[in-house]
Amino acid sequence: MAVRKWLATGAFAWFSTLPLAAGAADFPNAPVKFVVGFSPGSTIDTVARIIGDALSTRMGQSFVVENKTGANGMIAARMVAQAKPDGYTILVSNSSSITVNPLLYKDLQYDPLKDFAPVTTVVSVPFILTINAENPRVAGVSDVKSLVELARRNPNTVSYGSAGNGNLMHLAGAQLATMSNVQMLHVPYRGAAPMEAGLMSKEVDFGFDTLSGVPLIKAGKLKALAVSTAQRWHDLPDVPAVAELGYPDFDISFWVGVFAPAGTPPAVVERLNREIAEAAKDPAVRARLAMQGNPSTQTPQAFRQKIADELKQNETLIKRANIKID
């Protein structure tokens, strides 16, 4: 009797894996949804569309971007964390949603290491400290030093925009204020593109913009004062790094990465990883990605370790800058 029960249980367990295994073997056999927590036109959205187009060609199924904006990417992350783990609902997110939000928000409703299966990073991106030179409030600002001096003379008046509370744009602005020992006013937006629009319309005085602002900088509509990484950005060789300007420890960038819900079959995660890595090697795809940042892919295991390491690093930064979310 016990033997029959064991056989029945074992047979059930074996048969129960068949649909999952078959689903992994022929993945994808239906359209795949890329959920993006930021606005159309943002770096995250653009990278998702570049990779989605490439995967559609490579894998023979549509990869459709769905924007679920708000709460610094948390709405999108929650949606994917709770999705069926079959590989057909995928999160394309930035590092803020994964390695900053968990340190600031109490009601997060997802754990970055437990609720997701990391697939790969796609690009690594610097920020550009940018002003609108036609904004009368920053008249006379020509570099980071004069911007800081303006803030010193006008505490809590000089404003900087970000893509949301707790976003790495927010952390970059707070870090500059903390290291300069000045008080600045943070203005959160619902994404990088709305923040950039706020700069253009003179709602805010400066912001750590993404590379989507480069065309506006080259057209003379925005002025770049510095880049946030330790080295200069190759497309703006005359713009210094903040680290060159008396802030040697200033080095902030973000990545765009791809995540499946936890429990997604490893074969599906590995397939997505492999296809994205191969797509990123294609010269045409790589050229498009290079306009958004430095193309950079890695194994799911390396990506998971990167997340764990950055959680520790960002915790230190947040405590030093005394950033809190009410």
Side-chain angles (χ1 to χ4, degrees):
M1 183 73 174
V3 173
R4 285 199 300 270
K5 183 177 180 181
W6 180 87
L7 286 172
T9 303
F12 174 77
W14 184 79
F15 278 115
S16 68
T17 65
L18 286 181
L20 191 61
D26 66 355
F27 175 84
N29 57 18
V32 177
K33 180 163 45 180
F34 272 177
V35 182
V36 174
F38 298 90
S39 55
S42 64
T43 297
I44 301 90
D45 174 80
T46 302
V47 169
R49 294 178 191 278
I50 293 170
I51 290 298
D53 289 347
L55 293 183
S56 295
T57 300
R58 291 181 61 86
M59 303 178 77
Q61 284 290 345
S62 297
F63 283 72
V64 181
V65 172
E66 180 176 326
N67 298 92
K68 291 287 184 181
T69 64
N72 194 30
M74 286 191 292
I75 293 173
R78 288 170 184 166
M79 176 180 171
V80 175
Q82 297 166 8
K84 185 178 179 180
D86 56 8
Y88 290 93
T89 302
I90 299 295
L91 177 69
V92 181
S93 184
N94 65 357
S95 41
S96 291
S97 302
I98 304 299
T99 65
V100 179
N101 285 357
L103 305 172
L104 292 174
Y105 292 90
K106 295 179 181 179
D107 188 29
L108 193 65
Q109 298 180 27
Y110 63 86
D111 184 301
L113 292 174
K114 293 180 180 179
D115 293 332
F116 298 106
V119 176
T120 182
T121 51
V122 183
V123 294
S124 177
V125 191
F127 294 110
I128 307 170
L129 201 173
T130 309
I131 65 171
N132 182 343
E134 294 184 358
N135 183 344
R137 293 192 302 274
V138 292
V141 170
S142 58
D143 52 24
V144 173
K145 181 179 179 181
S146 55
L147 177 66
V148 169
E149 287 304 316
L150 179 65
R152 199 179 306 282
R153 294 192 304 270
N154 301 277
N156 282 321
T157 300
V158 175
S159 61
Y160 65 95
S162 80
N165 281 316
N167 185 275
L168 276 170
M169 289 180 178
H170 178 190
L171 267 63
Q175 179 80 320
L176 178 65
T178 299
M179 295 179 79
S180 303
N181 195 28
V182 297
Q183 295 176 318
M184 297 176 173
L185 177 65
H186 172 232
V187 181
Y189 288 84
R190 290 177 64 89
M195 189 286 292
E196 196 173 86
L199 274 174
M200 291 295 295
S201 63
K202 307 172 189 174
E203 289 178 349
V204 289
D205 300 326
F206 77 95
F208 280 88
D209 200 0
T210 64
L211 296 182
S212 64
V214 170
L216 293 170
I217 293 167
K218 291 187 173 182
K221 295 181 179 179
L222 291 175
K223 178 178 177 60
L225 303 184
V227 295
S228 67
T229 44
Q231 290 81 35
R232 298 188 181 199
W233 176 243
H234 62 78
D235 204 25
L236 296 170
D238 296 329
V239 178
V242 177
E244 298 176 43
L245 307 173
Y247 304 88
D249 297 327
F250 199 104
D251 185 4
I252 298 177
S253 62
F254 76 95
W255 42 256
V256 179
V258 179
F259 300 82
T264 299
V268 170
V269 174
E270 292 292 341
R271 176 84 191 279
L272 284 169
N273 174 274
R274 185 170 63 254
E275 294 290 348
I276 293 171
E278 289 300 316
K281 294 177 183 177
D282 179 270
V285 175
R286 195 170 187 82
R288 293 179 67 194
L289 289 175
M291 296 177 67
Q292 305 302 318
N294 290 313
S296 173
T297 60
Q298 56 191 158
T299 66
Q301 296 76 20
F303 190 16
R304 178 175 289 278
Q305 186 60 52
K306 180 181 181 68
I307 292 166
D309 292 342
E310 287 192 10
L311 282 166
K312 294 178 182 178
Q313 294 166 7
N314 288 337
E315 183 176 20
T316 300
L317 172 58
I318 287 168
K319 287 181 178 179
R320 187 185 304 139
N322 195 31
I323 296 174
K324 297 179 181 179
I325 302 297
D326 297 326

